[in-house]
Amino acid sequence: TNILEFEDFMSPISKKRIQRWQYNNYGVLHKKLHYSPNSKKRIYEEFFDKNGNIYCTKMFEDNEKNSLIYIQTYRHGRPHLTFKTEKQLFQHYFENKFNENDVVFCDARLLDKPLLNQQNKTKNILVFHSSHLNDNKTINQSYKMALENPQKVTQYLLLTEKQKSDILNVTNIDPDKISIIPHFIMPHQSTDNVEQLDRFVFIGRIAEEKQINHILYAYHNFLKSGFTTKLSIYGRDEFGQQRKLEQLIEELELQDNIDINGFTNNPLMEFQKSKASLLTSSFEGFGLSVMESINVGCPVISYDVRYGPSEIIDHGKNGYLVEQDN
């Protein structure tokens, strides 16, 4: 981009980073991070406006948790307001930004509490992109504020009918307050000249909740039954999950049968090349990749997880639903 993203400043004594200066998309300095010479954790952050004036600072504990101590805002170069938590800052911002009857869409659960507790009578529309359930099928802590205060919510926007049904079963929310707007994609015509490969494919984030290790164990059993179809994995690595997969592939001696690729800009083409796509997530908000795969004629073998696959896959016709974690 020819725009400097950040500069790191190293201590000539400790040989470690002591500051990072971050620049915005226009090359303007907007943030400085200061690091502890002992723990190497961030201990202080400064935020600057486009004219170089400081408008906010954050202080952090110099320990393993690296917890926030306080946030200080500035006005005309002088300390103005102090907040103990980010949520207090968010609530103050909302109360000064919004007016009565403003329509506010919120799709981040972190912001539910400050939004619903702020004093302006705004029309709050909460958008759910993911499952509200824990692994034990109880309500996730991050969704409790949203679901336990329906009197402060004008409308909930969900992706699936099944999630609406689950929420109505455990709350006293008026059904008319919940609307379903599923994801959609434009119809895509399969291309006849695409090379058909003898392979299965997974396309998605290489993340823990995607449970790609389940695919590897199932695929291992598949090969032991005498089949030879290959497996391709496409996705962006998250928190070192790819290395764990590579280690498991070596343990199961699957190196000759599986290839792991990075992010693909053309998932529809990769789906179209494949015999079937696979999904073994522990949860989904909708499962957009399921719809993309079926859209180009690639059937999907998926865990019947909440939410999405059962509303997209017609079992035995365009794919197969498997009980979760089987």
Side-chain angles (χ1 to χ4, degrees), residues 10-22:
M10 316 304 286
S11 165
I13 300 172
S14 68
K15 311 300 183 187
K16 301 295 183 182
R17 178 175 61 187
I18 53 173
Q19 287 190 36
R20 169 171 286 190
W21 293 11
Q22 291 185 346

Side-chain angles (χ1 to χ4, degrees), residues 242-254:
Q242 181 170 329
R243 182 63 196 135
K244 293 181 180 180
L245 291 184
E246 291 168 344
Q247 290 172 343
L248 182 56
I249 288 172
E250 291 176 11
E251 289 175 21
L252 298 175
E253 298 181 348
L254 299 174

Side-chain angles (χ1 to χ4, degrees), residues 198-214:
D198 183 21
R199 73 169 189 186
F200 298 116
V201 69
F202 166 85
I203 301 179
R205 292 180 296 113
I206 301 180
E208 186 174 6
E209 67 269 19
K210 295 298 183 180
Q211 299 188 146
I212 304 174
N213 59 322
H214 289 213

Side-chain angles (χ1 to χ4, degrees), residues 301-315:
I301 305 170
S302 172
Y303 281 164
D304 187 8
V305 294
R306 286 172 165 81
Y307 292 96
S310 65
E311 297 190 29
I312 307 170
I313 295 173
D314 189 354
H315 184 75

Side-chain angles (χ1 to χ4, degrees), residues 219 223 227-232 249 253-259:
Y219 182 66
L223 293 181
F227 298 100
T228 58
T229 300
K230 303 288 186 180
L231 170 63
S232 292
I249 288 172
E253 298 181 348
L254 299 174
Q255 301 95 315
D256 295 336
N257 302 89
I258 299 177
D259 58 87

Side-chain angles (χ1 to χ4, degrees), residues 188-196 266 268-274 295-298:
H188 180 86
Q189 293 297 321
S190 297
T191 307
D192 293 335
N193 59 1
V194 172
E195 180 187 9
Q196 296 298 303
N266 197 348
L268 297 184
M269 180 65 71
E270 300 304 333
F271 282 133
Q272 199 172 334
K273 291 177 183 177
S274 308
N295 194 24
V296 293
C298 179

